[in-house]
């Protein structure tokens, strides 16, 4: 297997790494690497910070391990290699009446990454997290392939386990039968945060998500657009081909005045009475995938995303967060509010029942201070931050956010005592410490 010295980064482009990557094309090649050179596996690197980096070390790029192995239509079980992108599953199976049970905000995420981060989607309040719909998976271990399922204690350490039980070779997914291959989406303006909470609590839609104007203040604090979606039959034009951002945007492109004007116009694009539109599935589930390399819009320094979830009873902390963000004028146009149900697949999975808020920030010096303050607020409210997005949490905050961390560390350290699968984030947050 050829190892190539490569400079690479997470999607936020703030953290970078230089190390050797291998790109096996067959399961047999993956097995050889697992036996000879145990190291972490990475997919499309759509996690935002340093969870997909291994500075000065080796890592396995799973991009070429992208085959469909088999589909049992009677049981609704799809077996795929770990490098398969979720968008490829949607494209192939939606016309046949099936979707992955859970889809995150980008179709570029791989199956292995979706399992390792136990991703969630717009239907978490109904169906929980991605890992809850994994029937079984196969790990590439130094001793050979090891298939595990929910009866194996290692399974809950792998789901949401950030790759620390070893590379995932393949997985069997429980697919979701759907009514059709288009989305019927109801969009409505939400005038403020109290109204948002009410609408999220009362929504009976299968898929629900809200865009937030993170620059709004006063009575308009928390205003935004609520989208409720259902699959259905119909004819719509195919999803538009993606356009690329050819260069890094200049610093002023996301200045406070420009973002405020953009957000105001985006909010008002929805009529007061609301509207219902029909969209291709990809346009609804993966809205930003139409713009390849959209992370360049944040300029050379990159960007951060803060995402937290707080318990239902602590929702007012989100008002304080939004007040702080809007007052500082640091936010980008990308901010999302959702309600989550109780489902989570593994010991280190992010989801918990509550409200989740995600806000993007250009990587400016002031943003780091802001995000650290928001992390502290989430911790105080007995919530947690999403480690797939995190850039600034501290090791001492981990056990409060993830109470099973120490037990998880014991399992993965017993499996990998040399910490061959550790990544930059694992080391930064001391996640495998058992002190």
């Amino acid at each position: 297997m050829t190892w190539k010295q490569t400079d690479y980064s997470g999607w936020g482009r703030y953290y970078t790494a230089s190390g050797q990557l291998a790109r096996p094309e067959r399961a047999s090649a993956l097995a050889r690497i697992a036996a000879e050179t145990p190291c972490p596996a990475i997919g499309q690197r759509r996690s935002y910070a340093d969870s997909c980096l291994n500075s000065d070390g080796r890592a396995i790029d799973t991009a070429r391990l992208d085959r469909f192995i088999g589909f049992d239509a009677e049981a609704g079980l799809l077996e795929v290699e770990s490098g398969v992108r979720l968008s490829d599953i949607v494209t192939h199976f939606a016309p046949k009446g099936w979707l992955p049970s859970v889809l995150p905000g980008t179709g570029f995420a791989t199956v292995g990454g979706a399992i390792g981060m136990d991703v969630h989607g717009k239907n978490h309040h109904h169906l929980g997290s991605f890992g809850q719909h994994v029937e079984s998976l196969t790990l590439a271990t130094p001793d050979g392939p090891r298939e595990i399922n929910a009866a194996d204690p290692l399974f809950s350490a792998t789901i949401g386990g950030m790759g620390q039980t070893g590379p995932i070779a393949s997985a069997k997914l429980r697919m979701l039968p759907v009514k059709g291959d288009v989305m019927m989406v109801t969009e409505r303006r939400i005038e403020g945060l109290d109204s948002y909470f009410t609408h999220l609590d009362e929504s009976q839609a299968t898929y629900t998500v809200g865009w937030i104007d993170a620059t709004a203040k006063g009575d308009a604090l928390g205003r935004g657009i609520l989208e409720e979606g259902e699959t259905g039959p119909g004819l719509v034009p195919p999803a538009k081909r993606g356009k690329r951002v050819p260069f890094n945007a200049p610093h002023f492109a996301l200045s406070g005045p420009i973002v405020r004007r953009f957000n105001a116009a985006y909010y008002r694009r929805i009529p007061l009475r609301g509207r219902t539109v029909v969209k291709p599935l990809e346009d609804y589930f993966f809205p930003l995938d139409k713009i390849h390399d959209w992370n360049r819009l944040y300029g050379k320094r990159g960007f951060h995303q803060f995402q937290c979830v707080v318990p239902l009873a602590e929702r007012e902390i989100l008002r304080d967060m939004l007040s702080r963000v809007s007052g500082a004028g640091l936010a980008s146009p990308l901010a999302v509010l959702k309600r989550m149900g109780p489902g989570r697949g593994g010991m280190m999975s992010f989801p918990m029942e509550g409200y989740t808020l995600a806000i993007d920030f250009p990587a400016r010096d002031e943003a780091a201070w802001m995000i650290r303050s928001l992390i502290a607020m989430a911790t105080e409210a007995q919530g947690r931050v999403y480690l797939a997005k995190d850039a600034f949490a501290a090791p001492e905050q981990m056990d409060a956010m993830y109470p099973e961390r120490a037990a998880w560390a014991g399992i993965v350290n017993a499996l990998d005592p040399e910490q061959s699968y550790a990544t930059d984030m694992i080391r930064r947050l001391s996640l495998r410490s058992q002190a």
Side-chain angles (χ1 to χ4, degrees), residues 4 32 58 128 142 199 214 257 291 312 316 333 337 341 364 372 386 393 400 404 417:
K4 182 179 179 180
R32 286 197 298 274
R58 287 181 166 183
H199 280 86
I291 309 173
L312 298 175
E316 286 303 310
L337 179 67
R364 299 169 185 158
R372 288 189 177 99
Y386 193 11
E404 294 182 271

Side-chain angles (χ1 to χ4, degrees), residues 14-42:
Y14 178 77
Y15 285 111
T16 61
S18 182
Q20 293 185 324
L21 300 183
R23 300 184 73 188
E25 296 189 12
R26 300 286 177 183
S28 57
L30 174 63
R32 286 197 298 274
I33 296 175
E36 298 170 2
T37 314
C39 59
I42 58 177

Side-chain angles (χ1 to χ4, degrees), residues 209-264:
V209 65
W211 170 81
I212 287 278
D213 178 0
T215 67
K217 302 179 181 180
D219 292 341
L221 184 77
R223 73 176 180 181
I225 298 168
L226 180 69
E227 295 185 358
E228 296 175 294
E230 302 289 347
T231 58
L235 294 175
V236 296
K240 295 180 180 179
R241 292 185 62 186
K243 297 181 179 180
R244 290 191 175 275
V245 178
F247 54 82
N248 294 310
H251 178 78
F252 65 81
L254 288 175
S255 64
I258 290 177
V259 172
R260 285 193 293 273
R261 286 196 293 270
F262 174 88
N263 283 8

Side-chain angles (χ1 to χ4, degrees), residues 335-350:
V336 173
L337 179 67
K338 291 184 289 192
R339 177 164 173 169
M340 305 185 81
R344 60 197 302 258
M347 302 171 75
M348 289 294 290
S349 296
F350 166 72

Side-chain angles (χ1 to χ4, degrees), residues 84-90 100 102-104 106-107 109-111 114 130 286:
V84 167
R85 299 188 305 185
L86 297 182
S87 60
D88 294 334
I89 299 177
V90 172
V102 172
L103 288 167
T106 175
T110 63
V111 168
F130 190 92
F286 317 132

Side-chain angles (χ1 to χ4, degrees), residues 133-175:
H133 305 278
V134 176
E135 180 75 11
S136 64
L137 58 87
T138 299
L139 296 172
T141 77
D143 298 323
R146 176 175 175 177
E147 185 174 3
I148 59 175
N149 58 31
D152 191 322
L154 189 58
F155 192 77
S156 63
T158 300
I159 304 296
M162 297 161 285
Q164 297 308 292
T165 58
I168 297 171
S170 63
K172 293 180 181 177
L173 311 177
R174 291 189 291 273
M175 298 283 279

Side-chain angles (χ1 to χ4, degrees), residues 43-329:
Q44 294 287 326
R45 301 195 291 277
R46 302 301 278 207
S47 51
Y48 284 47
D50 54 349
S51 63
C52 57
L53 308 181
N54 189 25
S55 299
D56 301 319
R58 287 181 166 183
I60 301 165
D61 182 336
T62 64
R64 294 175 179 167
L65 299 170
D66 59 354
R67 296 168 184 83
F68 293 179
I69 298 172
F71 180 59
D72 182 343
E74 185 174 343
L77 285 177
L78 172 66
E79 185 174 9
V80 295
E81 291 183 324
S82 64
V84 167
R85 299 188 305 185
L86 297 182
S87 60
D88 294 334
I89 299 177
V90 172
T91 300
H92 188 81
F93 282 93
K96 301 178 181 180
W98 298 92
L99 281 177
S101 296
V102 172
L103 288 167
T106 175
F108 287 104
T110 63
V111 168
I115 294 171
M117 292 300 177
D118 196 18
V119 299
H120 55 278
K122 300 174 177 69
N123 61 344
H124 187 273
H125 54 302
H126 290 306
L127 290 184
S129 65
F130 190 92
Q132 292 178 272
H133 305 278
V134 176
E135 180 75 11
S136 64
L137 58 87
T138 299
L139 296 172
T141 77
D143 298 323
R146 176 175 175 177
E147 185 174 3
I148 59 175
N149 58 31
D152 191 322
L154 189 58
F155 192 77
S156 63
T158 300
I159 304 296
M162 297 161 285
Q164 297 308 292
T165 58
I168 297 171
S170 63
K172 293 180 181 177
L173 311 177
R174 291 189 291 273
M175 298 283 279
L176 180 70
V178 292
K179 301 172 185 176
D181 59 352
V182 303
M183 290 296 301
M184 294 173 287
V185 185
T186 299
E187 302 171 316
R188 69 186 77 185
R189 289 192 201 177
I190 304 298
E191 63 273 16
L193 194 58
D194 288 332
S195 182
Y196 239 129
F197 288 139
T198 298
H199 280 86
L200 288 172
D201 292 345
E202 295 178 352
S203 177
Q204 298 299 311
T206 301
Y207 299 97
T208 307
V209 65
W211 170 81
I212 287 278
D213 178 0
T215 67
K217 302 179 181 180
D219 292 341
L221 184 77
R223 73 176 180 181
I225 298 168
L226 180 69
E227 295 185 358
E228 296 175 294
E230 302 289 347
T231 58
L235 294 175
V236 296
K240 295 180 180 179
R241 292 185 62 186
K243 297 181 179 180
R244 290 191 175 275
V245 178
F247 54 82
N248 294 310
H251 178 78
F252 65 81
L254 288 175
S255 64
I258 290 177
V259 172
R260 285 193 293 273
R261 286 196 293 270
F262 174 88
N263 283 8
Y266 190 80
Y267 175 71
R268 294 189 179 94
R269 72 185 177 88
I270 304 299
L272 282 171
R273 64 183 182 279
R275 68 183 183 188
T276 297
V277 296
V278 180
K279 297 183 178 183
L281 290 172
E282 293 92 335
D283 286 1
Y284 179 72
F285 287 114
F286 317 132
L288 287 175
D289 285 0
K290 293 183 294 184
I291 309 173
H292 294 299
D293 301 324
W294 61 262
N295 52 357
R296 289 184 174 181
L297 294 172
Y298 290 93
K300 290 183 179 180
R301 295 182 67 181
F303 76 105
H304 312 295
Q305 185 180 104
F306 163 79
Q307 183 171 4
C308 73
V309 59
V310 299
L312 298 175
E314 299 291 337
R315 69 186 196 182
E316 286 303 310
I317 198 70
L318 300 183
R319 190 184 309 277
D320 296 338
M321 290 181 179
L322 287 169
S323 295
R324 184 169 295 194
V325 171
S326 63

